[in-house]
Amino acid sequence: MNGKRNVQLLAALAVCGLLAGCAPAGTTSDAPAAEQTKAEPWRSAYKAFLTELCTQEAAVRDTDRPDYDPNAYPGEVGALSSGYVLYDIDKDGVPELLVRFGNCEAADHTQIYTFRDGEMALAGDLPSGDTSFYTSPGENAMVWNWGHMGAHYVEELRLADGTLEQETVFEETLTDPDAEYTDMTDIVPGSRYLWEARTTLGLWMQEETGTVPVEPLTLPIDDYGRQRTAETASETARAAIEAVLAGERPLVGVSADGFGGDTGEMALGDYLAPGGVDPWAESPQTLSRLTWLDVDGDGCTDCVLALTDEAGAPDQYVVLSLQGETVYAYCVNYFSGSLGTDGVFRDDWGSAFALSFRDRQCYLYTPETDTQAPEAGWQVF
């Protein structure tokens, strides 16, 4: 991991051997706004890639396939994709696509794709167990952060003519078990953690929850470069949401983070009941407070519900939003922290994320700025 090394350009659209046989108000971009309108074909290319990837991975998960082997199956599904993020590494206005594969430290790796000369190309394949990715504002780079059992390495990833280059910019070894790794902002000033979206609409533990969808989560690609718009009052949206709160209209539950909340259509009372938004809860969830604000920056007011568990501890935040004729309930699980008037969630450990959603698609993303807006005003019950 020391020094600089080149990763040779690999075959375009290569995924993995297993599969071969079978900014916006939605992303983070450090490129100038004018640059973000260039080369729109990358959107259709990335969406086609994700669609094909999800189709192939659904075939791998199919236990009715002729070559299904119960002994090999855990390893097969454990090598599939888990998430992706868009980030413009070289700041040319066209984001790179980073797709993470594997569900354990040994199997976890991330493939980085570029869009050059009208087509996708694989620029590199990196080990990513115990690893997270961060922005590198204003530089032809992004940041690769690895930490495990006291060892901590930070590398800058750069693109040179479509080839991925890596350079170690920081390393440390901690021997005190109570010591903490150096904060990333002290290593790369202005750097921010990049939240990854799921590749499909299924939950993270798909085999445990029985959700194995083919449909890819492509909203981050559509969102890239989109800016928040000014909030305007919508009597139609508010009336529809108030009807849900009164039990006069159903909601459709959708997971925002992949950890639960995909309930389908039901009344709010059933949503809060045991087996509803939290399928493992033995007692009802309690609506402790609510607030009205435009969460996803589309200009329309949403309603955010803060739910607590039986012990009164924060459990879920649920965003009710009218999409077409349907009120969706986008669920953020196990969250404890604050919500700003700009729609940014900040947890008790200082991490920040925002939400974007459209119909059944929803994901968390890295906010455009670290500037903290005033906290939303809540109606407490």
Side-chain angles (χ1 to χ4, degrees):
M1 293 182 54
N2 293 319
K4 182 183 293 185
R5 59 185 181 273
N6 291 331
V7 182
Q8 297 299 318
L9 186 67
L10 302 178
L13 298 181
V15 180
C16 61
L18 172 65
L19 296 181
C22 319
T27 51
T28 294
S29 170
D30 296 314
E35 294 286 325
Q36 295 176 10
T37 61
K38 297 193 313 181
E40 289 301 312
W42 67 263
R43 296 186 196 267
S44 56
Y46 287 176
K47 289 171 74 171
F49 172 85
L50 279 181
T51 300
E52 177 61 21
L53 174 65
C54 293
T55 299
Q56 293 185 15
E57 292 190 341
V60 174
R61 291 191 180 95
D62 183 8
T63 56
D64 293 327
R65 56 186 165 93
D67 60 345
Y68 169 71
D69 181 344
N71 295 316
Y73 186 76
E76 292 172 344
V77 297
L80 302 183
S81 66
S82 60
Y84 77 99
V85 67
L86 298 172
Y87 184 69
D88 188 359
I89 297 176
D90 55 6
K91 313 303 186 290
D92 67 348
V94 180
E96 278 62 54
L97 171 66
L98 288 75
V99 185
R100 188 184 294 265
F101 295 88
N103 65 356
C104 67
E105 178 184 351
D108 205 330
H109 65 106
T110 297
Q111 296 181 340
I112 300 179
Y113 292 89
T114 64
F115 187 83
R116 295 168 54 85
D117 301 322
E119 63 181 8
M120 286 181 63
L122 183 60
D125 192 337
L126 305 174
S128 47
D130 299 307
T131 295
S132 51
F133 294 99
Y134 286 77
T135 66
S136 183
E139 300 289 336
N140 171 11
M142 71 178 301
V143 180
W144 180 92
N145 182 54
W146 180 86
H148 182 62
M149 298 183 69
H152 184 203
Y153 292 88
V154 177
E155 296 191 357
E156 283 192 342
L157 309 179
R158 304 185 185 94
L159 285 173
D161 296 324
T163 299
L164 190 68
E165 297 179 343
Q166 297 175 246
E167 180 180 8
T168 300
V169 296
F170 179 85
E171 58 183 287
E172 64 182 343
T173 301
L174 305 181
T175 57
D176 182 353
D178 296 323
E180 296 184 357
Y181 293 130
T182 301
D183 191 86
M184 182 58 65
T185 56
D186 294 326
I187 302 171
V188 181
S191 183
R192 286 176 291 137
Y193 172 73
L194 285 170
W195 288 86
E196 297 178 13
R198 294 166 287 162
T199 48
T200 78
L201 298 191
L203 304 184
W204 290 115
M205 298 178 291
Q206 295 187 43
E207 283 65 47
E208 295 183 21
T209 56
T211 60
V212 286
V214 177
E215 186 177 353
L217 178 56
T218 57
L219 185 57
I221 299 172
D222 291 331
D223 274 348
Y224 190 86
R226 179 172 71 88
Q227 303 298 317
R228 292 183 66 91
T229 59
E231 183 176 357
T232 57
S234 173
E235 295 182 3
T236 300
R238 182 146 186 157
I241 294 171
E242 287 177 340
V244 169
L245 295 174
E248 301 168 354
R249 180 171 181 159
L251 57 79
V252 174
V254 173
S255 180
D257 53 16
F259 291 107
D262 277 342
T263 65
E265 183 176 298
M266 61 176 54
L268 179 61
D270 295 328
Y271 186 79
L272 299 176
V277 62
D278 187 341
W280 296 281
E282 298 181 355
S283 300
Q285 301 296 88
T286 299
L287 172 56
S288 63
R289 52 185 181 154
L290 67 77
T291 188
W292 297 85
L293 73 155
D294 179 10
V295 175
D296 67 335
D298 66 351
C300 188
T301 301
D302 308 302
C303 182
V304 184
L305 312 180
L307 308 183
T308 57
D309 61 17
E310 182 182 16
D315 211 353
Q316 295 97 4
Y317 277 51
V318 178
V319 180
L320 299 180
S321 178
L322 180 65
Q323 304 282 308
E325 299 297 322
T326 303
V327 175
Y328 286 88
Y330 301 105
C331 178
V332 177
N333 294 274
Y334 318 121
F335 176 77
S336 176
S338 64
L339 172 63
T341 54
D342 57 355
V344 174
F345 293 79
R346 297 180 184 277
D347 65 26
D348 294 335
W349 299 272
S351 181
F353 63 86
L355 290 184
S356 184
F357 41 79
R358 185 182 65 208
D359 299 333
R360 293 180 57 248
Q361 302 224 357
C362 183
Y363 68 100
L364 281 57
Y365 69 92
T366 303
E368 277 293 311
T369 177
D370 278 337
T371 302
Q372 189 165 349
E375 187 168 355
W378 294 90
Q379 177 184 350
V380 179
F381 299 100

